[in-house]
Amino acid sequence: ELFKQQNSARQQVESVSKKMGIAYIPSFGHEEGIVTWVNFAWADPNVEIPHSQQSNIVDLSPLRELVGLKSLSIANTKVSDLSPLKGMNLKELNFESTPVSDLSPLKGMPLGALRLDFQPERDTEILRSIKTLEEINGKPVATFWKEVEEQK
């Protein structure tokens, strides 16, 4: 049964990576065969990073196939458009070091944790509208906003 679940998750990820034009997704996890997290960042220092693959990641639309996806890291990619994620049930999202500039697709998401290159003028209104946020850039929300206020 466990083998079937792992195989099912692997098939889902292979389908998505093919549609994204990349060889494979470096790391992912699943619960009972349903992919729940995907990480395009390379955490293993022993693995040589194929930068060409990372730079190929532009369109997130194929990720919509992963209906159980709760956590996504697209840090250090060339993704600039989060609109394919709109309406997804993501709880965690990391898009640090990306050219993303429009955070409006995050409205209404049940995000609990977010990592981004914060720009107060651009991001404050949208981030404050996400009432489920508990952590921004690794800090509790209250601490994060206190520090933002102190920097004004």
Side-chain angles (χ1 to χ4, degrees), residues 30-51:
H30 68 92
E31 289 176 19
E32 298 177 3
I34 296 172
V35 177
T36 55
W37 64 266
V38 169
N39 186 348
F40 289 100
W42 298 81
D44 186 346
N46 300 317
V47 175
E48 189 175 322
I49 302 170
H51 290 288

Side-chain angles (χ1 to χ4, degrees), residues 10-64:
R10 189 173 294 111
Q11 287 172 343
Q12 291 171 55
V13 167
E14 285 173 2
S15 169
V16 166
S17 61
K18 192 178 290 184
K19 289 175 182 167
M20 293 179 85
I22 57 176
Y24 58 93
I25 293 175
S27 60
F28 66 93
H30 68 92
E31 289 176 19
E32 298 177 3
I34 296 172
V35 177
T36 55
W37 64 266
V38 169
N39 186 348
F40 289 100
W42 298 81
D44 186 346
N46 300 317
V47 175
E48 189 175 322
I49 302 170
H51 290 288
S52 60
Q53 172 169 309
Q54 253 185 331
S55 63
N56 285 343
I57 300 168
V58 178
D59 180 17
L60 298 177
S61 299
L63 291 174
R64 296 193 66 78

Side-chain angles (χ1 to χ4, degrees), residues 102-122:
D102 178 12
L103 275 54
S104 64
L106 304 182
K107 284 183 182 173
M109 268 191 202
L111 289 165
L114 189 62
R115 286 191 167 272
L116 72 158
D117 300 325
F118 181 73
Q119 293 180 21
E121 321 73 50
R122 178 191 75 183

